[in-house]
């Protein structure tokens, strides 16, 4: 059973990770040092080292924790039925850019850095697993096989992240148009509602 001290320590660590991540997202990876992080967290550098081995450990854990939360936010906005698919696809890239653009830019700064690349590989392996499970949860709601939903999720995520990074409307529209056409084909093949003619965009 978790003690009060353990719970308090966990909450403090989460608070530090959130603050650290926000600082780097706002200012860039190379512009914030350990003293600035400690000041933002309203604690000493020594206190930070009670929770993390060093600055690299703080960065790695903060990015992994906060970007997993971003995934949860994305999943929470997912459509609950076929009729809501098109609204979701049209709105989610702009929501992602507005709410999480800085976070994605930081994530790629960190995970493309040679020092942290191995941690990026590990993180994205977890992304693959989490979105595969997410696709399984949508199977009954959308009437599509999970193995068809999974790659479509990755296409949509790629479109959203690219737009969040660069606000490239041409790239976004190209990806979204192909995604919608593919969905229409899959729905016509697999969805009873679509086959019966009751589905409309």
């Amino acid at each position: 059973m978790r003690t009060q001290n353990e719970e308090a320590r966990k909450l403090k660590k989460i608070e530090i990770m959130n603050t650290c991540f926000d600082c780097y997202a706002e200012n860039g990876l190379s512009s914030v040092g350990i003293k600035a992080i400690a000041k933002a967290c309203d604690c000493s550098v020594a206190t930070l080292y009670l929770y993390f081995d060093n600055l690299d450990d703080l960065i790695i854990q903060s990015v992994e924790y906060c970007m997993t939360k971003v995934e949860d936010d994305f999943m929470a906005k997912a459509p609950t039925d076929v009729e809501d698919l098109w609204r979701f696809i049209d709105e989610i890239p702009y929501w992602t850019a507005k709410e999480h653009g800085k976070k994605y830019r930081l994530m790629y700064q960190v995970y493309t850095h040679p020092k942290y690349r191995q941690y990026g590989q590990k993180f994205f392996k977890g992304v693959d697993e989490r979105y595969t499970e997410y696709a399984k949860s949508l199977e009954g709601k959308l009437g599509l096989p999970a193995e068809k939903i999974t790659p479509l999720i990755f296409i949509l995520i790629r479109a959203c992240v690219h737009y969040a990074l660069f606000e490239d409307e041409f790239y976004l529209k190209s990806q979204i148009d192909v995604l919608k056409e593919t969905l229409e084909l899959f729905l016509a093949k697999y969805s009873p509602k679509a086959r019966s003619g009751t589905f409309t965009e």
Side-chain angles (χ1 to χ4, degrees):
M1 185 174 179
R2 186 180 294 275
T3 67
Q4 286 186 332
N5 285 342
E6 289 174 329
E7 187 64 28
R9 180 179 173 83
K10 177 184 176 182
L11 292 174
K12 182 62 178 178
K13 182 175 181 178
I14 289 172
E15 178 188 335
I16 292 171
M17 289 190 292
N18 282 323
T19 302
C20 172
F21 189 81
D22 288 343
C23 283
Y24 279 118
E26 190 64 37
N27 299 291
L29 187 60
S30 63
S31 301
V32 183
I34 190 70
K35 290 182 180 179
I37 295 296
K39 183 178 179 180
C41 294
D42 194 26
C43 68
S44 67
V45 171
T47 298
L48 293 181
Y49 289 141
L50 293 175
Y51 296 88
F52 304 94
D53 295 339
N54 49 47
L55 183 58
D56 288 335
D57 185 41
L58 172 56
I59 291 170
I60 291 162
Q61 291 199 50
S62 297
V63 172
E64 180 177 3
Y65 174 78
C66 292
M67 291 311 299
T68 301
K69 285 203 314 176
V70 170
E71 288 178 25
D72 292 340
D73 287 350
F74 182 92
M75 292 179 189
K77 294 184 74 66
T80 56
D81 54 45
V82 171
E83 286 78 4
D84 198 36
L85 266 174
W86 311 106
R87 176 207 57 80
F88 173 73
I89 291 170
D90 285 336
E91 292 179 2
I92 198 67
Y94 300 100
W95 173 85
T96 300
K98 180 181 177 182
E99 297 297 325
H100 299 302
K102 290 180 181 179
K103 298 172 186 177
Y104 276 110
R105 288 191 285 275
L106 173 60
M107 182 188 75
Y108 278 96
Q109 279 188 65
V110 172
Y111 285 151
T112 57
H113 193 291
K115 184 163 56 171
Y116 304 125
R117 187 169 179 270
Q118 62 178 314
Y119 300 101
Q121 290 173 324
K122 178 184 175 183
F123 176 78
F124 283 107
K125 182 178 180 182
V127 169
D128 293 346
E129 293 169 355
R130 288 189 292 275
Y131 278 117
T132 298
E133 289 303 310
Y134 178 45
K136 292 176 183 177
S137 75
L138 293 176
E139 191 171 43
K141 298 174 183 177
L142 303 182
L144 297 175
E147 62 268 21
K148 301 299 182 184
I149 298 173
T150 302
L152 298 183
I153 290 174
F154 289 134
I155 292 171
L156 179 59
I157 294 295
R158 174 57 58 188
C160 289
V161 172
H162 187 90
Y163 186 77
L165 293 173
F166 305 111
E167 296 185 5
D168 183 344
E169 290 282 351
F170 179 79
Y171 184 99
L172 176 64
K173 186 176 186 304
S174 299
Q175 295 256 66
I176 294 301
D177 285 350
V178 169
L179 177 62
K180 285 182 175 180
E181 288 181 18
T182 305
L183 264 171
E184 288 171 352
L185 292 171
F186 283 163
L187 287 167
K189 181 175 182 179
Y190 295 105
S191 173
K193 187 177 290 188
R195 286 200 301 270
S196 70
T198 60
F199 170 77
T200 58
E201 182 176 342

